[in-house]
Amino acid sequence: MTTENDRYSEFRTELSDLCKELSALFITATTIPGFSGQAFTDWEKSLSGIMKKVSSDVLKVATVGAIKSGKSTFVNSIFRGDHLKRGAGVVTSFVTRMGKSSENRAVLTFKSLDEVNADIEQATVLLPGFRLNENARQVDITNFYLRDLLEKSLAGLTADELITEDARSLNSVLLSSYVNGYDQIKSQLPQKVLILDGNMIAKHKDYVGDETLAVFLKDVELRLDTGAIGEGVEIADCQGSDSPNPLHLALIQDYLVTAHIMIYVVSSRTGLRRADIRFLNMLRKMGMSENLIFMVNVDINEHESVESLKALIARITEEIAIIKPDPEVYAYSALLNLFRDTRAELTTKDRKKLELWDSDLDFVEFSDEGAEVFTKSFLKKLSGRRYELLLKDRLGRINVITAGMRQWILINKDLVSGNGGLSEDLLNRVRSHQAKMTQIKQMVKNALDGTAMQLKKEISRESDKFFDRRDGETIRDLAVFIGNYGFAKEKYESDVNPKNFYSTLYYVYQEFKQALDNYMAETVNPRIIRHVSEKEKKIKAVLESNIEPFDVMVKDAIFGYYSAVDPDNSLNIAESTNGAEATEEAVSLNDLEPLKNALDIRLPAATAVMRYSARIKTEAVLKLGYYSFVRVVRKMMKQPIQNDRKDEVMALDDGVKQMKKETLGSVLYHMKDYQENLKFQYFHRLIDACTESLYESLLDRFQAYATDLTEIAGLINRRQIDKERAEDILKGMEISARKIQERLLVVQNEIRSGA
């Protein structure tokens, strides 16, 4: 199990070392008397980028599933220890990321004060009893009077106001957690990050396991020197896919758009539930089901026999196949494996449970076989994806640069030794072809820039149409949802009165916002993510198709260059490529994630679409005052009053209408802001990054076959170079370059056999 991880780690180290050795060759070249080394500037830039990518490449695995499905247990079993602690509550807003490292470390990232205050501002909309005053003029968690005001407002809520749809009100829990946890966490917030090393790593559970502290967390990362997973892999324990908090679903979506593999955990205790089907269907609509595998987490206590368990797994597989044909489904007990790995730390109760399970040989055999099959398959998937990334991008570019460096060495060594002749005719031919190369480079640059500019216009136009209320269905449907939201007046007629009007309006708003946030997370976000995915594919396809003709042109120019520099092949330039052609596929864009990570190009968060707000309290209250005044006038004029609560219900009805109107305006404004951010901060930057990446890849080939040979030749003709010293340096460089090529070929073959 660890052998494969060790091999991958060795490959990464070897590629990084080879890049450093190539860079050292560039430095060695500058020791040639009179040689500036400017010919290698582009190569050095490329190698620097490659080294950065090799060291930072991370394969992301998302672990998803319903609450209590055993996600955390599954991830813990992979890392062979009880590292994760869940149950921090419905208001936490982070994904726990785990990976391999030589040292144990936990990195906790806290929300900024602006983010905390924004949460509070959203949660206090229509909160009964909450009014900013001269001591608390704005929402600021650091202000004692603001916290005191929140505490008093929460204390004044009735049981009905603390419950929404048969569960604790998310906003009341959120506000209570912020108020109660602030004094404990306030010293940490300015530091933004808390790092716990070594034995202190377990202390992270104090934060994630306490709702009043966990609410302040933005990100949790654990690095562990244990488990079957090697370096360069990150496994995320995501929030429950059936969480009552729509923000959790949005957080999962944010991580899934960057994940390479998704593992969906289903508990054998519950089987596939409606919430699972709904979530998996959402993944299908988002176009994310391709890299999805399933793990049935076996609860041994729940099954009478292995046969009944197998029947359940067959039924689960059948149900999944409706959404994802031919699903990969594995089944074993993650808790059994975890208990075995942590036997020494188990409580007496858990130790007895393990002994009981171990005595049931049929279940143990079934689980062990399932775990072995999953582990082999999972590690193979990880290896394949990692090797593919190394082989297709990093290795190919290093090989091209090495071949070019060796050609430069061979030709200049020949020039210095005098065997190749220093005729003006040869130099003129070299200059002529280099001028042609320069023209082609400029032509490629202009063409790519033009394509990028046109592509930005097209993507912007299509994105504008997607977000347009008239032309695009997403915003139109969102507006319809808000407009059609049903407010059951009869539900409140018997209870609403002037004293509890605020409370009733708050309760109605909480129900409305919960429904709207669910719609945003389950319908709007998946459509946006699908839209982004389609635009990314278009960007990739358009740029690659435009670079293809120039790729052919470059190869033709290279052939002409060969003929000019080495017409009789006396320098064995073809031999110096030594495998470069084997990896020299068409210039293309492979996985976009490393490119986006390197330049910090991030899709606007799915959670961002929920950051709207509504300002509706004042008008609703004015309406109530107006209707109350009318009621007084009626009494004075001795007109009959048919319904004692009619005024309050009418005011409430008008308040809800105004609430929906204000919310729609806020949502449309917010979505417009999101749309502009998506266009300019994501799509446009991604187009620029892809364009530059393609140009750099093509530039590597130019450099490989058309480095400036005239600098040393000019020095020779002007007798400004110590030919003997230069020849010795070039001979040493040629030996080093050949060894680098040989090692590259070995790595290439081993990676291909491993993949």
Side-chain angles (χ1 to χ4, degrees):
M1 230 166 2
T2 56
T3 304
E4 201 64 40
N5 294 324
D6 291 342
R7 288 182 70 214
Y8 177 75
S9 182
E10 288 170 5
F11 289 148
R12 284 216 312 183
T13 302
E14 178 73 348
L15 288 185
S16 183
D17 289 345
L18 289 170
C19 285
K20 292 174 184 176
E21 290 177 30
L22 266 175
S23 295
L25 278 182
F26 301 150
I27 296 173
T28 301
T30 61
T31 63
I32 297 174
F35 180 63
S36 66
Q38 291 180 352
F40 305 135
T41 302
D42 290 328
W43 274 344
E44 287 179 300
K45 180 182 175 184
S46 292
L47 281 178
S48 176
I50 292 169
M51 280 193 287
K52 185 177 179 181
K53 289 176 181 176
V54 167
S55 62
S56 63
D57 280 342
V58 175
L59 198 68
K60 295 185 177 182
V61 180
T63 308
V64 194
I67 294 172
K68 301 296 183 182
S69 62
K71 300 185 307 299
S72 299
T73 302
F74 168 73
V75 177
N76 274 332
S77 70
I78 288 178
F79 287 93
R80 296 175 181 168
D82 193 13
H83 309 292
L84 289 169
K85 182 171 183 177
R86 273 298 180 209
V90 295
V91 297
T92 53
S93 53
F94 58 85
V95 168
T96 303
R97 301 176 293 115
M98 300 178 69
K100 182 72 177 269
S101 177
S102 58
E103 296 179 357
N104 290 336
R105 168 175 290 192
V107 181
L108 309 183
T109 304
F110 297 99
K111 296 175 183 176
S112 67
L113 287 174
D114 286 342
E115 289 170 324
V116 171
N117 292 333
D119 282 349
I120 295 173
E121 197 164 5
Q122 287 243 314
T124 52
V125 173
L126 290 179
L127 178 66
F130 180 79
R131 288 179 180 78
L132 295 173
N133 53 45
E134 60 181 13
N135 291 322
R137 297 179 183 275
Q138 61 184 12
V139 173
D140 179 5
I141 187 67
T142 65
N143 185 339
F144 166 79
Y145 294 103
L146 185 281
R147 299 196 303 277
D148 184 59
L149 177 60
L150 286 172
E151 194 167 5
K152 289 176 179 176
S153 299
L154 291 169
L157 295 179
T158 65
D160 287 341
E161 292 160 355
L162 293 171
I163 302 295
T164 303
E165 294 186 352
D166 300 323
R168 295 172 68 194
S169 166
L170 296 178
N171 283 339
S172 64
V173 176
L174 180 77
L175 294 173
S176 177
S177 298
Y178 274 136
V179 171
N180 294 328
Y182 178 74
D183 284 335
Q184 298 178 68
I185 204 80
K186 61 184 179 183
S187 62
Q188 299 289 347
L189 292 179
Q191 301 173 30
K192 296 182 180 179
V193 174
L194 174 64
I195 298 175
L196 302 168
D197 290 315
N199 294 331
M200 291 294 291
I201 190 172
K203 191 174 175 57
H204 87 276
K205 294 181 181 180
D206 295 342
Y207 290 86
V208 302
D210 183 341
E211 196 164 60
T212 63
L213 301 181
V215 70
F216 288 91
L217 288 172
K218 185 178 182 178
D219 183 69
V220 176
E221 180 184 12
L222 302 181
R223 294 295 163 187
L224 304 164
D225 185 20
T226 182
I229 304 303
E231 293 185 10
V233 177
E234 174 181 283
I235 299 183
D237 182 21
C238 298
Q239 303 280 4
S241 57
D242 59 342
S243 168
N245 189 347
L247 179 63
H248 287 175
L249 183 54
L251 285 167
I252 296 171
Q253 291 165 340
D254 281 336
Y255 192 84
L256 290 183
V257 296
T258 67
H260 300 88
I261 297 172
M262 285 173 275
I263 301 174
Y264 196 88
V265 180
V266 179
S267 172
S268 72
R269 177 172 36 84
T270 61
L272 208 64
R273 298 178 294 178
R274 182 181 298 177
D276 296 311
I277 297 292
R278 187 168 64 246
F279 184 83
L280 294 172
N281 197 41
M282 182 196 72
L283 289 182
R284 181 183 61 81
K285 290 178 180 177
M286 291 164 64
M288 289 186 169
S289 57
E290 182 182 349
N291 297 316
L292 187 62
I293 60 179
F294 298 86
M295 188 274 184
V296 178
N297 195 8
V298 175
D299 188 334
I300 297 176
N301 292 335
E302 292 291 322
H303 307 284
E304 293 183 2
S305 66
V306 171
E307 286 68 30
S308 64
L309 174 60
K310 288 180 178 178
L312 172 66
I313 294 167
R315 187 168 69 250
I316 291 173
T317 304
E318 252 180 61
E319 292 168 345
I320 293 172
I322 297 172
I323 298 173
K324 178 176 169 52
D326 302 318
E328 283 186 61
V329 181
Y330 304 90
Y332 68 93
S333 172
L335 189 59
L336 173 62
N337 288 3
L338 181 60
F339 275 6
R340 286 169 171 172
D341 288 327
T342 59
R343 192 184 298 265
E345 295 108 43
L346 292 179
T347 62
T348 302
K349 181 180 177 181
D350 285 341
R351 194 174 296 114
K352 288 180 179 179
K353 190 181 293 185
L354 176 59
E355 290 171 359
L356 181 63
W357 291 348
D358 278 337
S359 67
D360 195 330
L361 299 181
D362 288 341
F363 273 109
V364 168
E365 183 181 1
F366 176 85
S367 181
D368 288 347
E369 287 178 358
E372 184 179 359
V373 171
F374 169 80
T375 303
K376 286 182 179 178
S377 175
F378 182 49
L379 292 181
K380 186 176 180 181
K381 281 182 185 294
L382 294 181
S383 299
R385 291 301 300 271
R386 292 187 296 183
Y387 290 152
E388 182 183 10
L389 190 61
L390 282 174
L391 186 62
K392 280 193 172 181
D393 186 14
R394 320 288 185 253
L395 182 60
R397 290 188 66 182
I398 297 172
N399 225 340
V400 167
I401 294 171
T402 307
M405 185 65 191
R406 193 168 171 209
Q407 290 160 21
W408 181 91
I409 294 168
L410 287 171
I411 294 171
N412 280 287
K413 189 177 73 170
D414 188 71
L415 290 173
V416 168
S417 67
N419 295 332
L422 296 174
S423 68
E424 192 65 30
D425 177 59
L426 172 60
L427 291 177
N428 285 336
R429 274 184 285 144
V430 169
R431 292 190 186 103
S432 173
H433 278 278
Q434 287 180 336
K436 183 179 178 181
M437 289 285 194
T438 301
Q439 289 177 345
I440 294 174
K441 279 197 287 187
Q442 192 58 51
M443 194 186 307
V444 171
K445 188 76 170 68
N446 293 340
L448 281 175
D449 287 346
T451 300
M453 189 178 299
Q454 182 61 33
L455 193 53
K456 286 179 183 178
K457 291 179 181 177
E458 288 182 22
I459 295 293
S460 294
R461 185 167 57 249
E462 291 167 5
S463 194
D464 287 342
K465 184 177 180 179
F466 175 85
F467 284 97
D468 188 82
R469 188 174 173 181
R470 292 166 300 179
D471 297 333
E473 65 175 13
T474 299
I475 305 302
R476 182 175 63 244
D477 290 351
L478 176 58
V480 169
F481 177 86
I482 293 173
N484 291 345
Y485 177 76
F487 164 55
K489 286 184 284 187
E490 62 278 2
K491 180 179 177 181
Y492 304 98
E493 279 182 342
S494 61
D495 296 322
V496 65
N497 59 65
K499 290 183 179 179
N500 72 0
F501 181 77
Y502 283 147
S503 302
T504 304
L505 192 60
Y506 176 70
Y507 186 85
V508 172
Y509 178 70
Q510 292 304 307
E511 287 188 329
F512 168 62
K513 190 174 189 307
Q514 178 80 5
L516 180 55
D517 284 350
N518 279 328
Y519 182 83
M520 294 283 236
E522 294 178 6
T523 303
V524 175
N525 282 349
R527 289 183 183 179
I528 291 175
I529 291 169
R530 182 100 187 191
H531 167 71
V532 170
S533 177
E534 290 171 354
K535 297 309 118 184
E536 286 180 344
K537 289 175 182 175
K538 178 172 180 174
I539 291 169
K540 192 171 181 292
V542 169
L543 290 175
E544 286 180 345
S545 65
N546 276 268
I547 200 72
E548 189 176 349
F550 293 105
D551 199 13
V552 175
M553 189 184 298
V554 168
K555 289 176 181 176
D556 290 342
I558 288 168
F559 180 78
Y561 182 77
Y562 276 164
S563 301
V565 175
D566 190 22
D568 56 359
N569 198 31
S570 60
L571 302 181
N572 294 318
I573 289 180
E575 182 270 336
S576 72
T577 63
N578 190 33
E581 279 94 354
T583 56
E584 196 173 303
E585 301 172 358
V587 173
S588 63
L589 295 162
N590 294 314
D591 188 354
L592 296 182
E593 281 307 313
L595 183 63
K596 289 190 280 189
N597 290 337
L599 298 173
D600 199 29
I601 300 173
R602 300 186 186 281
L603 183 67
T607 52
V609 301
M610 298 177 187
R611 296 296 184 187
Y612 58 88
S613 61
R615 302 173 299 277
I616 52 92
K617 182 186 292 186
T618 303
E619 182 148 347
V621 173
L622 288 174
K623 287 285 186 181
L624 175 61
Y626 169 74
Y627 288 125
S628 297
F629 172 75
V630 171
R631 180 172 180 161
V632 171
V633 172
R634 282 177 180 167
K635 283 183 177 180
M636 290 173 62
M637 298 178 67
K638 298 183 178 180
Q639 292 183 359
I641 299 173
Q642 298 176 349
N643 186 342
D644 288 341
R645 302 187 186 280
K646 182 178 179 181
D647 299 334
E648 287 83 358
V649 173
M650 289 176 67
L652 187 62
D653 189 27
D654 281 342
V656 171
K657 288 177 182 177
Q658 186 65 19
M659 174 180 71
K660 289 161 66 173
K661 179 182 175 182
E662 288 285 348
T663 300
L664 177 60
S666 179
V667 166
L668 292 178
Y669 177 85
H670 190 75
M671 293 303 291
K672 182 66 177 178
D673 185 63
Y674 184 93
Q675 169 190 349
E676 296 302 301
N677 194 20
L678 179 64
K679 280 194 304 186
F680 296 107
Q681 296 302 315
Y682 186 74
F683 283 139
H684 286 201
R685 289 186 65 206
L686 182 61
I687 290 169
D688 287 338
C690 290
T691 302
E692 185 65 20
S693 177
L694 286 172
Y695 182 66
E696 285 181 1
S697 294
L698 206 59
L699 203 64
D700 286 342
R701 299 189 182 189
F702 275 113
Q703 286 295 111
Y705 302 101
T707 47
D708 189 2
L709 305 178
T710 60
E711 185 176 1
I712 289 182
L715 291 172
I716 293 172
N717 284 345
R718 294 191 300 272
R719 303 184 185 282
Q720 294 177 343
I721 188 172
D722 183 341
K723 292 176 63 177
E724 188 173 328
R725 173 164 165 69
E727 186 174 2
D728 286 343
I729 293 171
L730 288 166
K731 282 180 180 178
M733 289 176 65
E734 202 276 326
I735 293 171
S736 297
R738 187 172 66 249
K739 287 181 178 178
I740 290 173
Q741 277 191 318
E742 289 169 354
R743 285 164 61 193
L744 276 170
L745 194 57
V746 170
V747 173
Q748 174 185 301
N749 291 334
E750 288 187 358
I751 287 179
R752 279 182 168 159
S753 63

